[in-house]
């Protein structure tokens, strides 16, 4: 269990909401760590932010996981909503590769975790990793959005 955490803020885009907080447990060994990408919820509205997942990230850090708690553009912000929110989440997740160039992150052990609306975004992002199912998930998502 690690007790010291190095935290740093990194921007994956140009908007003030295109950033994440990276927390790396300080290890006695210089091994690469698995990383949990956390995506907050909040009805996709801009009054809710990544702070809600800070306690979970701290717990994960204490268990030896690196965390990348991402923010994204939400409704009420310029380009928030579709497709900006979706693009931000994908870009935030893909930014883990850049972080791994500088920090002890094992990109073969990336875990996505989301709360509420963030859970939907995590599931959607995972579906994009499977090309055979991509058309199905996109069609179902569009259908769902049109029926709302």
């Amino acid at each position: 269990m690690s007790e010291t955490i190095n935290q740093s803020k990194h921007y994956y885009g140009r908007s003030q909401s295109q950033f994440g907080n990276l927390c790396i447990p300080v290890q006695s060994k210089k091994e690469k760590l698995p990383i949990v990408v956390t995506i907050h919820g909040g009805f996709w509205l801009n009054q809710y932010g990544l702070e809600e997942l800070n306690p979970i990230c701290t717990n994960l850090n204490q268990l030896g996981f690196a965390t990348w708690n991402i923010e994204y553009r939400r409704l009420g912000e310029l380009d928030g909503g579709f497709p900006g929110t979706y693009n931000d989440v994908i870009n935030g997740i893909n930014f883990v590769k850049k972080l791994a160039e500088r920090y002890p992150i094992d990109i073969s052990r990336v875990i996505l975790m989301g709360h509420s609306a963030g859970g939907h975004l995590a599931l959607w992002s995972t579906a994009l990793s499977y090309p055979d199912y991509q058309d199905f998930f996109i069609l179902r998502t569009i259908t769902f959005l049109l029926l709302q």
Side-chain angles (χ1 to χ4, degrees), residues 57-83:
C57 289
T58 299
N59 191 308
L60 289 166
N61 296 145
Q62 290 169 345
L63 294 171
F65 292 90
T67 56
W68 173 234
N69 191 11
I70 62 171
E71 188 58 90
Y72 53 89
R73 291 174 293 175
R74 291 141 294 162
L75 296 173
E77 295 179 70
L78 180 64
D79 295 326
F82 184 81

mmCIF file with all atom_site columns, all heavy atoms in Angstrom, residues 57-83:
data_model
loop_
_atom_site.group_PDB
_atom_site.id
_atom_site.type_symbol
_atom_site.label_atom_id
_atom_site.label_alt_id
_atom_site.label_comp_id
_atom_site.label_asym_id
_atom_site.label_entity_id
_atom_site.label_seq_id
_atom_site.pdbx_PDB_ins_code
_atom_site.Cartn_x
_atom_site.Cartn_y
_atom_site.Cartn_z
_atom_site.occupancy
_atom_site.B_iso_or_equiv
_atom_site.pdbx_formal_charge
_atom_site.auth_seq_id
_atom_site.auth_comp_id
_atom_site.auth_asym_id
_atom_site.auth_atom_id
_atom_site.pdbx_PDB_model_num
ATOM 1   N N   . CYS A 1 57 ? -10.472 7.925  -6.313  1.00 0.00 ? 57 CYS A N   1
ATOM 2   C CA  . CYS A 1 57 ? -9.104  7.943  -6.855  1.00 0.00 ? 57 CYS A CA  1
ATOM 3   C C   . CYS A 1 57 ? -8.083  7.791  -5.729  1.00 0.00 ? 57 CYS A C   1
ATOM 4   O O   . CYS A 1 57 ? -7.112  7.037  -5.872  1.00 0.00 ? 57 CYS A O   1
ATOM 5   C CB  . CYS A 1 57 ? -8.857  9.224  -7.640  1.00 0.00 ? 57 CYS A CB  1
ATOM 6   S SG  . CYS A 1 57 ? -9.763  9.291  -9.204  1.00 0.00 ? 57 CYS A SG  1
ATOM 7   N N   . THR A 1 58 ? -8.300  8.481  -4.634  1.00 0.00 ? 58 THR A N   1
ATOM 8   C CA  . THR A 1 58 ? -7.385  8.367  -3.496  1.00 0.00 ? 58 THR A CA  1
ATOM 9   C C   . THR A 1 58 ? -7.325  6.929  -2.998  1.00 0.00 ? 58 THR A C   1
ATOM 10  O O   . THR A 1 58 ? -6.246  6.392  -2.727  1.00 0.00 ? 58 THR A O   1
ATOM 11  C CB  . THR A 1 58 ? -7.825  9.314  -2.359  1.00 0.00 ? 58 THR A CB  1
ATOM 12  O OG1 . THR A 1 58 ? -7.776  10.659 -2.848  1.00 0.00 ? 58 THR A OG1 1
ATOM 13  C CG2 . THR A 1 58 ? -6.923  9.179  -1.135  1.00 0.00 ? 58 THR A CG2 1
ATOM 14  N N   . ASN A 1 59 ? -8.489  6.302  -2.894  1.00 0.00 ? 59 ASN A N   1
ATOM 15  C CA  . ASN A 1 59 ? -8.532  4.909  -2.451  1.00 0.00 ? 59 ASN A CA  1
ATOM 16  C C   . ASN A 1 59 ? -7.779  4.012  -3.427  1.00 0.00 ? 59 ASN A C   1
ATOM 17  O O   . ASN A 1 59 ? -6.999  3.145  -3.011  1.00 0.00 ? 59 ASN A O   1
ATOM 18  C CB  . ASN A 1 59 ? -9.987  4.461  -2.296  1.00 0.00 ? 59 ASN A CB  1
ATOM 19  C CG  . ASN A 1 59 ? -10.110 3.142  -1.600  1.00 0.00 ? 59 ASN A CG  1
ATOM 20  O OD1 . ASN A 1 59 ? -9.476  2.174  -1.980  1.00 0.00 ? 59 ASN A OD1 1
ATOM 21  N ND2 . ASN A 1 59 ? -10.963 3.093  -0.586  1.00 0.00 ? 59 ASN A ND2 1
ATOM 22  N N   . LEU A 1 60 ? -7.993  4.203  -4.716  1.00 0.00 ? 60 LEU A N   1
ATOM 23  C CA  . LEU A 1 60 ? -7.289  3.402  -5.730  1.00 0.00 ? 60 LEU A CA  1
ATOM 24  C C   . LEU A 1 60 ? -5.782  3.629  -5.663  1.00 0.00 ? 60 LEU A C   1
ATOM 25  O O   . LEU A 1 60 ? -4.999  2.684  -5.793  1.00 0.00 ? 60 LEU A O   1
ATOM 26  C CB  . LEU A 1 60 ? -7.821  3.722  -7.128  1.00 0.00 ? 60 LEU A CB  1
ATOM 27  C CG  . LEU A 1 60 ? -9.227  3.218  -7.433  1.00 0.00 ? 60 LEU A CG  1
ATOM 28  C CD1 . LEU A 1 60 ? -9.785  3.885  -8.687  1.00 0.00 ? 60 LEU A CD1 1
ATOM 29  C CD2 . LEU A 1 60 ? -9.231  1.711  -7.572  1.00 0.00 ? 60 LEU A CD2 1
ATOM 30  N N   . ASN A 1 61 ? -5.361  4.874  -5.442  1.00 0.00 ? 61 ASN A N   1
ATOM 31  C CA  . ASN A 1 61 ? -3.934  5.179  -5.301  1.00 0.00 ? 61 ASN A CA  1
ATOM 32  C C   . ASN A 1 61 ? -3.337  4.442  -4.112  1.00 0.00 ? 61 ASN A C   1
ATOM 33  O O   . ASN A 1 61 ? -2.237  3.893  -4.195  1.00 0.00 ? 61 ASN A O   1
ATOM 34  C CB  . ASN A 1 61 ? -3.698  6.678  -5.128  1.00 0.00 ? 61 ASN A CB  1
ATOM 35  C CG  . ASN A 1 61 ? -4.112  7.510  -6.319  1.00 0.00 ? 61 ASN A CG  1
ATOM 36  O OD1 . ASN A 1 61 ? -4.580  8.632  -6.166  1.00 0.00 ? 61 ASN A OD1 1
ATOM 37  N ND2 . ASN A 1 61 ? -3.961  6.987  -7.525  1.00 0.00 ? 61 ASN A ND2 1
ATOM 38  N N   . GLN A 1 62 ? -4.061  4.402  -3.009  1.00 0.00 ? 62 GLN A N   1
ATOM 39  C CA  . GLN A 1 62 ? -3.582  3.713  -1.817  1.00 0.00 ? 62 GLN A CA  1
ATOM 40  C C   . GLN A 1 62 ? -3.464  2.203  -2.047  1.00 0.00 ? 62 GLN A C   1
ATOM 41  O O   . GLN A 1 62 ? -2.677  1.534  -1.394  1.00 0.00 ? 62 GLN A O   1
ATOM 42  C CB  . GLN A 1 62 ? -4.503  3.998  -0.631  1.00 0.00 ? 62 GLN A CB  1
ATOM 43  C CG  . GLN A 1 62 ? -4.395  5.435  -0.166  1.00 0.00 ? 62 GLN A CG  1
ATOM 44  C CD  . GLN A 1 62 ? -5.474  5.817  0.830   1.00 0.00 ? 62 GLN A CD  1
ATOM 45  O OE1 . GLN A 1 62 ? -6.471  5.131  0.996   1.00 0.00 ? 62 GLN A OE1 1
ATOM 46  N NE2 . GLN A 1 62 ? -5.268  6.951  1.500   1.00 0.00 ? 62 GLN A NE2 1
ATOM 47  N N   . LEU A 1 63 ? -4.234  1.699  -3.005  1.00 0.00 ? 63 LEU A N   1
ATOM 48  C CA  . LEU A 1 63 ? -4.157  0.281  -3.360  1.00 0.00 ? 63 LEU A CA  1
ATOM 49  C C   . LEU A 1 63 ? -3.090  -0.008 -4.411  1.00 0.00 ? 63 LEU A C   1
ATOM 50  O O   . LEU A 1 63 ? -2.912  -1.146 -4.828  1.00 0.00 ? 63 LEU A O   1
ATOM 51  C CB  . LEU A 1 63 ? -5.523  -0.211 -3.851  1.00 0.00 ? 63 LEU A CB  1
ATOM 52  C CG  . LEU A 1 63 ? -6.632  -0.219 -2.794  1.00 0.00 ? 63 LEU A CG  1
ATOM 53  C CD1 . LEU A 1 63 ? -7.980  -0.509 -3.440  1.00 0.00 ? 63 LEU A CD1 1
ATOM 54  C CD2 . LEU A 1 63 ? -6.325  -1.233 -1.707  1.00 0.00 ? 63 LEU A CD2 1
ATOM 55  N N   . GLY A 1 64 ? -2.388  1.039  -4.884  1.00 0.00 ? 64 GLY A N   1
ATOM 56  C CA  . GLY A 1 64 ? -1.293  0.844  -5.821  1.00 0.00 ? 64 GLY A CA  1
ATOM 57  C C   . GLY A 1 64 ? -1.613  1.103  -7.278  1.00 0.00 ? 64 GLY A C   1
ATOM 58  O O   . GLY A 1 64 ? -0.806  0.797  -8.159  1.00 0.00 ? 64 GLY A O   1
ATOM 59  N N   . PHE A 1 65 ? -2.771  1.694  -7.562  1.00 0.00 ? 65 PHE A N   1
ATOM 60  C CA  . PHE A 1 65 ? -3.147  2.035  -8.936  1.00 0.00 ? 65 PHE A CA  1
ATOM 61  C C   . PHE A 1 65 ? -2.833  3.500  -9.207  1.00 0.00 ? 65 PHE A C   1
ATOM 62  O O   . PHE A 1 65 ? -3.038  4.357  -8.349  1.00 0.00 ? 65 PHE A O   1
ATOM 63  C CB  . PHE A 1 65 ? -4.651  1.849  -9.162  1.00 0.00 ? 65 PHE A CB  1
ATOM 64  C CG  . PHE A 1 65 ? -5.119  0.436  -9.134  1.00 0.00 ? 65 PHE A CG  1
ATOM 65  C CD1 . PHE A 1 65 ? -5.538  -0.146 -7.940  1.00 0.00 ? 65 PHE A CD1 1
ATOM 66  C CD2 . PHE A 1 65 ? -5.158  -0.318 -10.293 1.00 0.00 ? 65 PHE A CD2 1
ATOM 67  C CE1 . PHE A 1 65 ? -5.983  -1.453 -7.906  1.00 0.00 ? 65 PHE A CE1 1
ATOM 68  C CE2 . PHE A 1 65 ? -5.599  -1.630 -10.267 1.00 0.00 ? 65 PHE A CE2 1
ATOM 69  C CZ  . PHE A 1 65 ? -6.010  -2.199 -9.073  1.00 0.00 ? 65 PHE A CZ  1
ATOM 70  N N   . ALA A 1 66 ? -2.362  3.790  -10.414 1.00 0.00 ? 66 ALA A N   1
ATOM 71  C CA  . ALA A 1 66 ? -2.318  5.170  -10.879 1.00 0.00 ? 66 ALA A CA  1
ATOM 72  C C   . ALA A 1 66 ? -3.749  5.521  -11.289 1.00 0.00 ? 66 ALA A C   1
ATOM 73  O O   . ALA A 1 66 ? -4.523  4.640  -11.679 1.00 0.00 ? 66 ALA A O   1
ATOM 74  C CB  . ALA A 1 66 ? -1.384  5.299  -12.078 1.00 0.00 ? 66 ALA A CB  1
ATOM 75  N N   . THR A 1 67 ? -4.115  6.799  -11.189 1.00 0.00 ? 67 THR A N   1
ATOM 76  C CA  . THR A 1 67 ? -5.441  7.223  -11.650 1.00 0.00 ? 67 THR A CA  1
ATOM 77  C C   . THR A 1 67 ? -5.313  8.434  -12.556 1.00 0.00 ? 67 THR A C   1
ATOM 78  O O   . THR A 1 67 ? -4.448  9.291  -12.362 1.00 0.00 ? 67 THR A O   1
ATOM 79  C CB  . THR A 1 67 ? -6.382  7.564  -10.471 1.00 0.00 ? 67 THR A CB  1
ATOM 80  O OG1 . THR A 1 67 ? -5.781  8.557  -9.652  1.00 0.00 ? 67 THR A OG1 1
ATOM 81  C CG2 . THR A 1 67 ? -6.712  6.328  -9.654  1.00 0.00 ? 67 THR A CG2 1
ATOM 82  N N   . TRP A 1 68 ? -6.169  8.478  -13.552 1.00 0.00 ? 68 TRP A N   1
ATOM 83  C CA  . TRP A 1 68 ? -6.268  9.593  -14.500 1.00 0.00 ? 68 TRP A CA  1
ATOM 84  C C   . TRP A 1 68 ? -7.736  10.002 -14.487 1.00 0.00 ? 68 TRP A C   1
ATOM 85  O O   . TRP A 1 68 ? -8.583  9.384  -15.120 1.00 0.00 ? 68 TRP A O   1
ATOM 86  C CB  . TRP A 1 68 ? -5.789  9.134  -15.867 1.00 0.00 ? 68 TRP A CB  1
ATOM 87  C CG  . TRP A 1 68 ? -5.954  10.056 -17.041 1.00 0.00 ? 68 TRP A CG  1
ATOM 88  C CD1 . TRP A 1 68 ? -6.582  9.747  -18.221 1.00 0.00 ? 68 TRP A CD1 1
ATOM 89  C CD2 . TRP A 1 68 ? -5.472  11.398 -17.199 1.00 0.00 ? 68 TRP A CD2 1
ATOM 90  N NE1 . TRP A 1 68 ? -6.516  10.810 -19.088 1.00 0.00 ? 68 TRP A NE1 1
ATOM 91  C CE2 . TRP A 1 68 ? -5.832  11.836 -18.479 1.00 0.00 ? 68 TRP A CE2 1
ATOM 92  C CE3 . TRP A 1 68 ? -4.774  12.264 -16.366 1.00 0.00 ? 68 TRP A CE3 1
ATOM 93  C CZ2 . TRP A 1 68 ? -5.525  13.110 -18.958 1.00 0.00 ? 68 TRP A CZ2 1
ATOM 94  C CZ3 . TRP A 1 68 ? -4.453  13.526 -16.840 1.00 0.00 ? 68 TRP A CZ3 1
ATOM 95  C CH2 . TRP A 1 68 ? -4.823  13.940 -18.120 1.00 0.00 ? 68 TRP A CH2 1
ATOM 96  N N   . ASN A 1 69 ? -8.042  11.012 -13.691 1.00 0.00 ? 69 ASN A N   1
ATOM 97  C CA  . ASN A 1 69 ? -9.406  11.484 -13.474 1.00 0.00 ? 69 ASN A CA  1
ATOM 98  C C   . ASN A 1 69 ? -9.681  12.590 -14.480 1.00 0.00 ? 69 ASN A C   1
ATOM 99  O O   . ASN A 1 69 ? -9.162  13.701 -14.340 1.00 0.00 ? 69 ASN A O   1
ATOM 100 C CB  . ASN A 1 69 ? -9.532  11.978 -12.028 1.00 0.00 ? 69 ASN A CB  1
ATOM 101 C CG  . ASN A 1 69 ? -10.966 12.247 -11.614 1.00 0.00 ? 69 ASN A CG  1
ATOM 102 O OD1 . ASN A 1 69 ? -11.909 11.892 -12.296 1.00 0.00 ? 69 ASN A OD1 1
ATOM 103 N ND2 . ASN A 1 69 ? -11.111 12.893 -10.465 1.00 0.00 ? 69 ASN A ND2 1
ATOM 104 N N   . ILE A 1 70 ? -10.475 12.285 -15.520 1.00 0.00 ? 70 ILE A N   1
ATOM 105 C CA  . ILE A 1 70 ? -10.613 13.235 -16.626 1.00 0.00 ? 70 ILE A CA  1
ATOM 106 C C   . ILE A 1 70 ? -11.852 14.120 -16.495 1.00 0.00 ? 70 ILE A C   1
ATOM 107 O O   . ILE A 1 70 ? -12.895 13.704 -16.018 1.00 0.00 ? 70 ILE A O   1
ATOM 108 C CB  . ILE A 1 70 ? -10.607 12.538 -18.003 1.00 0.00 ? 70 ILE A CB  1
ATOM 109 C CG1 . ILE A 1 70 ? -11.776 11.563 -18.166 1.00 0.00 ? 70 ILE A CG1 1
ATOM 110 C CG2 . ILE A 1 70 ? -9.285  11.842 -18.251 1.00 0.00 ? 70 ILE A CG2 1
ATOM 111 C CD1 . ILE A 1 70 ? -11.935 11.019 -19.577 1.00 0.00 ? 70 ILE A CD1 1
ATOM 112 N N   . GLU A 1 71 ? -11.668 15.335 -16.932 1.00 0.00 ? 71 GLU A N   1
ATOM 113 C CA  . GLU A 1 71 ? -12.755 16.296 -17.097 1.00 0.00 ? 71 GLU A CA  1
ATOM 114 C C   . GLU A 1 71 ? -13.076 16.337 -18.580 1.00 0.00 ? 71 GLU A C   1
ATOM 115 O O   . GLU A 1 71 ? -12.252 15.941 -19.410 1.00 0.00 ? 71 GLU A O   1
ATOM 116 C CB  . GLU A 1 71 ? -12.317 17.667 -16.580 1.00 0.00 ? 71 GLU A CB  1
ATOM 117 C CG  . GLU A 1 71 ? -13.434 18.686 -16.519 1.00 0.00 ? 71 GLU A CG  1
ATOM 118 C CD  . GLU A 1 71 ? -14.592 18.246 -15.642 1.00 0.00 ? 71 GLU A CD  1
ATOM 119 O OE1 . GLU A 1 71 ? -14.584 18.532 -14.443 1.00 0.00 ? 71 GLU A OE1 1
ATOM 120 O OE2 . GLU A 1 71 ? -15.523 17.608 -16.192 1.00 0.00 ? 71 GLU A OE2 1
ATOM 121 N N   . TYR A 1 72 ? -14.243 16.795 -18.918 1.00 0.00 ? 72 TYR A N   1
ATOM 122 C CA  . TYR A 1 72 ? -14.665 16.882 -20.320 1.00 0.00 ? 72 TYR A CA  1
ATOM 123 C C   . TYR A 1 72 ? -15.687 18.006 -20.454 1.00 0.00 ? 72 TYR A C   1
ATOM 124 O O   . TYR A 1 72 ? -16.290 18.435 -19.470 1.00 0.00 ? 72 TYR A O   1
ATOM 125 C CB  . TYR A 1 72 ? -15.235 15.542 -20.810 1.00 0.00 ? 72 TYR A CB  1
ATOM 126 C CG  . TYR A 1 72 ? -16.339 14.986 -19.930 1.00 0.00 ? 72 TYR A CG  1
ATOM 127 C CD1 . TYR A 1 72 ? -17.669 15.327 -20.143 1.00 0.00 ? 72 TYR A CD1 1
ATOM 128 C CD2 . TYR A 1 72 ? -16.045 14.120 -18.886 1.00 0.00 ? 72 TYR A CD2 1
ATOM 129 C CE1 . TYR A 1 72 ? -18.673 14.827 -19.335 1.00 0.00 ? 72 TYR A CE1 1
ATOM 130 C CE2 . TYR A 1 72 ? -17.045 13.604 -18.073 1.00 0.00 ? 72 TYR A CE2 1
ATOM 131 C CZ  . TYR A 1 72 ? -18.360 13.970 -18.304 1.00 0.00 ? 72 TYR A CZ  1
ATOM 132 O OH  . TYR A 1 72 ? -19.360 13.471 -17.498 1.00 0.00 ? 72 TYR A OH  1
ATOM 133 N N   . ARG A 1 73 ? -15.860 18.476 -21.696 1.00 0.00 ? 73 ARG A N   1
ATOM 134 C CA  . ARG A 1 73 ? -16.854 19.527 -21.938 1.00 0.00 ? 73 ARG A CA  1
ATOM 135 C C   . ARG A 1 73 ? -18.253 18.935 -21.779 1.00 0.00 ? 73 ARG A C   1
ATOM 136 O O   . ARG A 1 73 ? -18.544 17.873 -22.291 1.00 0.00 ? 73 ARG A O   1
ATOM 137 C CB  . ARG A 1 73 ? -16.674 20.127 -23.327 1.00 0.00 ? 73 ARG A CB  1
ATOM 138 C CG  . ARG A 1 73 ? -15.393 20.927 -23.450 1.00 0.00 ? 73 ARG A CG  1
ATOM 139 C CD  . ARG A 1 73 ? -15.154 21.389 -24.851 1.00 0.00 ? 73 ARG A CD  1
ATOM 140 N NE  . ARG A 1 73 ? -14.894 20.207 -25.691 1.00 0.00 ? 73 ARG A NE  1
ATOM 141 C CZ  . ARG A 1 73 ? -14.738 20.256 -27.006 1.00 0.00 ? 73 ARG A CZ  1
ATOM 142 N NH1 . ARG A 1 73 ? -14.844 21.385 -27.657 1.00 0.00 ? 73 ARG A NH1 1
ATOM 143 N NH2 . ARG A 1 73 ? -14.484 19.158 -27.686 1.00 0.00 ? 73 ARG A NH2 1
ATOM 144 N N   . ARG A 1 74 ? -19.094 19.684 -21.055 1.00 0.00 ? 74 ARG A N   1
ATOM 145 C CA  . ARG A 1 74 ? -20.444 19.223 -20.774 1.00 0.00 ? 74 ARG A CA  1
ATOM 146 C C   . ARG A 1 74 ? -21.461 20.222 -21.304 1.00 0.00 ? 74 ARG A C   1
ATOM 147 O O   . ARG A 1 74 ? -21.106 21.313 -21.757 1.00 0.00 ? 74 ARG A O   1
ATOM 148 C CB  . ARG A 1 74 ? -20.612 19.061 -19.252 1.00 0.00 ? 74 ARG A CB  1
ATOM 149 C CG  . ARG A 1 74 ? -19.796 17.911 -18.713 1.00 0.00 ? 74 ARG A CG  1
ATOM 150 C CD  . ARG A 1 74 ? -19.155 18.206 -17.379 1.00 0.00 ? 74 ARG A CD  1
ATOM 151 N NE  . ARG A 1 74 ? -18.154 19.260 -17.545 1.00 0.00 ? 74 ARG A NE  1
ATOM 152 C CZ  . ARG A 1 74 ? -17.674 19.979 -16.563 1.00 0.00 ? 74 ARG A CZ  1
ATOM 153 N NH1 . ARG A 1 74 ? -18.060 19.791 -15.340 1.00 0.00 ? 74 ARG A NH1 1
ATOM 154 N NH2 . ARG A 1 74 ? -16.774 20.910 -16.788 1.00 0.00 ? 74 ARG A NH2 1
ATOM 155 N N   . LEU A 1 75 ? -22.739 19.861 -21.216 1.00 0.00 ? 75 LEU A N   1
ATOM 156 C CA  . LEU A 1 75 ? -23.799 20.768 -21.639 1.00 0.00 ? 75 LEU A CA  1
ATOM 157 C C   . LEU A 1 75 ? -23.688 22.061 -20.845 1.00 0.00 ? 75 LEU A C   1
ATOM 158 O O   . LEU A 1 75 ? -23.459 22.045 -19.642 1.00 0.00 ? 75 LEU A O   1
ATOM 159 C CB  . LEU A 1 75 ? -25.174 20.136 -21.417 1.00 0.00 ? 75 LEU A CB  1
ATOM 160 C CG  . LEU A 1 75 ? -25.463 18.883 -22.254 1.00 0.00 ? 75 LEU A CG  1
ATOM 161 C CD1 . LEU A 1 75 ? -26.777 18.263 -21.833 1.00 0.00 ? 75 LEU A CD1 1
ATOM 162 C CD2 . LEU A 1 75 ? -25.483 19.220 -23.733 1.00 0.00 ? 75 LEU A CD2 1
ATOM 163 N N   . GLY A 1 76 ? -23.814 23.182 -21.532 1.00 0.00 ? 76 GLY A N   1
ATOM 164 C CA  . GLY A 1 76 ? -23.645 24.480 -20.905 1.00 0.00 ? 76 GLY A CA  1
ATOM 165 C C   . GLY A 1 76 ? -22.292 25.094 -21.211 1.00 0.00 ? 76 GLY A C   1
ATOM 166 O O   . GLY A 1 76 ? -22.024 26.234 -20.851 1.00 0.00 ? 76 GLY A O   1
ATOM 167 N N   . GLU A 1 77 ? -21.424 24.342 -21.862 1.00 0.00 ? 77 GLU A N   1
ATOM 168 C CA  . GLU A 1 77 ? -20.115 24.834 -22.279 1.00 0.00 ? 77 GLU A CA  1
ATOM 169 C C   . GLU A 1 77 ? -20.059 24.833 -23.801 1.00 0.00 ? 77 GLU A C   1
ATOM 170 O O   . GLU A 1 77 ? -20.749 24.043 -24.448 1.00 0.00 ? 77 GLU A O   1
ATOM 171 C CB  . GLU A 1 77 ? -18.994 23.930 -21.772 1.00 0.00 ? 77 GLU A CB  1
ATOM 172 C CG  . GLU A 1 77 ? -18.844 23.893 -20.277 1.00 0.00 ? 77 GLU A CG  1
ATOM 173 C CD  . GLU A 1 77 ? -17.719 22.957 -19.871 1.00 0.00 ? 77 GLU A CD  1
ATOM 174 O OE1 . GLU A 1 77 ? -16.550 23.294 -20.121 1.00 0.00 ? 77 GLU A OE1 1
ATOM 175 O OE2 . GLU A 1 77 ? -18.027 21.895 -19.316 1.00 0.00 ? 77 GLU A OE2 1
ATOM 176 N N   . LEU A 1 78 ? -19.202 25.660 -24.362 1.00 0.00 ? 78 LEU A N   1
ATOM 177 C CA  . LEU A 1 78 ? -18.999 25.685 -25.802 1.00 0.00 ? 78 LEU A CA  1
ATOM 178 C C   . LEU A 1 78 ? -18.583 24.288 -26.278 1.00 0.00 ? 78 LEU A C   1
ATOM 179 O O   . LEU A 1 78 ? -17.641 23.705 -25.733 1.00 0.00 ? 78 LEU A O   1
ATOM 180 C CB  . LEU A 1 78 ? -17.928 26.716 -26.171 1.00 0.00 ? 78 LEU A CB  1
ATOM 181 C CG  . LEU A 1 78 ? -17.615 26.852 -27.663 1.00 0.00 ? 78 LEU A CG  1
ATOM 182 C CD1 . LEU A 1 78 ? -18.850 27.355 -28.418 1.00 0.00 ? 78 LEU A CD1 1
ATOM 183 C CD2 . LEU A 1 78 ? -16.446 27.797 -27.870 1.00 0.00 ? 78 LEU A CD2 1
ATOM 184 N N   . ASP A 1 79 ? -19.279 23.743 -27.234 1.00 0.00 ? 79 ASP A N   1
ATOM 185 C CA  . ASP A 1 79 ? -19.034 22.423 -27.819 1.00 0.00 ? 79 ASP A CA  1
ATOM 186 C C   . ASP A 1 79 ? -19.272 21.266 -26.846 1.00 0.00 ? 79 ASP A C   1
ATOM 187 O O   . ASP A 1 79 ? -18.844 20.138 -27.097 1.00 0.00 ? 79 ASP A O   1
ATOM 188 C CB  . ASP A 1 79 ? -17.622 22.318 -28.419 1.00 0.00 ? 79 ASP A CB  1
ATOM 189 C CG  . ASP A 1 79 ? -17.441 23.254 -29.608 1.00 0.00 ? 79 ASP A CG  1
ATOM 190 O OD1 . ASP A 1 79 ? -18.426 23.454 -30.353 1.00 0.00 ? 79 ASP A OD1 1
ATOM 191 O OD2 . ASP A 1 79 ? -16.338 23.780 -29.784 1.00 0.00 ? 79 ASP A OD2 1
ATOM 192 N N   . GLY A 1 80 ? -19.948 21.525 -25.738 1.00 0.00 ? 80 GLY A N   1
ATOM 193 C CA  . GLY A 1 80 ? -20.331 20.443 -24.843 1.00 0.00 ? 80 GLY A CA  1
ATOM 194 C C   . GLY A 1 80 ? -21.515 19.692 -25.427 1.00 0.00 ? 80 GLY A C   1
ATOM 195 O O   . GLY A 1 80 ? -22.251 20.219 -26.255 1.00 0.00 ? 80 GLY A O   1
ATOM 196 N N   . GLY A 1 81 ? -21.704 18.464 -25.024 1.00 0.00 ? 81 GLY A N   1
ATOM 197 C CA  . GLY A 1 81 ? -22.753 17.630 -25.611 1.00 0.00 ? 81 GLY A CA  1
ATOM 198 C C   . GLY A 1 81 ? -22.205 16.875 -26.800 1.00 0.00 ? 81 GLY A C   1
ATOM 199 O O   . GLY A 1 81 ? -20.990 16.729 -26.962 1.00 0.00 ? 81 GLY A O   1
ATOM 200 N N   . PHE A 1 82 ? -23.097 16.405 -27.657 1.00 0.00 ? 82 PHE A N   1
ATOM 201 C CA  . PHE A 1 82 ? -22.682 15.609 -28.798 1.00 0.00 ? 82 PHE A CA  1
ATOM 202 C C   . PHE A 1 82 ? -22.214 16.526 -29.917 1.00 0.00 ? 82 PHE A C   1
ATOM 203 O O   . PHE A 1 82 ? -22.901 17.509 -30.211 1.00 0.00 ? 82 PHE A O   1
ATOM 204 C CB  . PHE A 1 82 ? -23.846 14.735 -29.270 1.00 0.00 ? 82 PHE A CB  1
ATOM 205 C CG  . PHE A 1 82 ? -23.475 13.806 -30.382 1.00 0.00 ? 82 PHE A CG  1
ATOM 206 C CD1 . PHE A 1 82 ? -22.835 12.614 -30.106 1.00 0.00 ? 82 PHE A CD1 1
ATOM 207 C CD2 . PHE A 1 82 ? -23.742 14.135 -31.691 1.00 0.00 ? 82 PHE A CD2 1
ATOM 208 C CE1 . PHE A 1 82 ? -22.473 11.755 -31.130 1.00 0.00 ? 82 PHE A CE1 1
ATOM 209 C CE2 . PHE A 1 82 ? -23.381 13.283 -32.716 1.00 0.00 ? 82 PHE A CE2 1
ATOM 210 C CZ  . PHE A 1 82 ? -22.750 12.088 -32.437 1.00 0.00 ? 82 PHE A CZ  1
ATOM 211 N N   . PRO A 1 83 ? -21.083 16.285 -30.567 1.00 0.00 ? 83 PRO A N   1
ATOM 212 C CA  . PRO A 1 83 ? -20.134 15.197 -30.326 1.00 0.00 ? 83 PRO A CA  1
ATOM 213 C C   . PRO A 1 83 ? -18.969 15.588 -29.422 1.00 0.00 ? 83 PRO A C   1
ATOM 214 O O   . PRO A 1 83 ? -18.104 14.774 -29.140 1.00 0.00 ? 83 PRO A O   1
ATOM 215 C CB  . PRO A 1 83 ? -19.628 14.877 -31.733 1.00 0.00 ? 83 PRO A CB  1
ATOM 216 C CG  . PRO A 1 83 ? -19.571 16.213 -32.415 1.00 0.00 ? 83 PRO A CG  1
ATOM 217 C CD  . PRO A 1 83 ? -20.762 16.971 -31.849 1.00 0.00 ? 83 PRO A CD  1
#
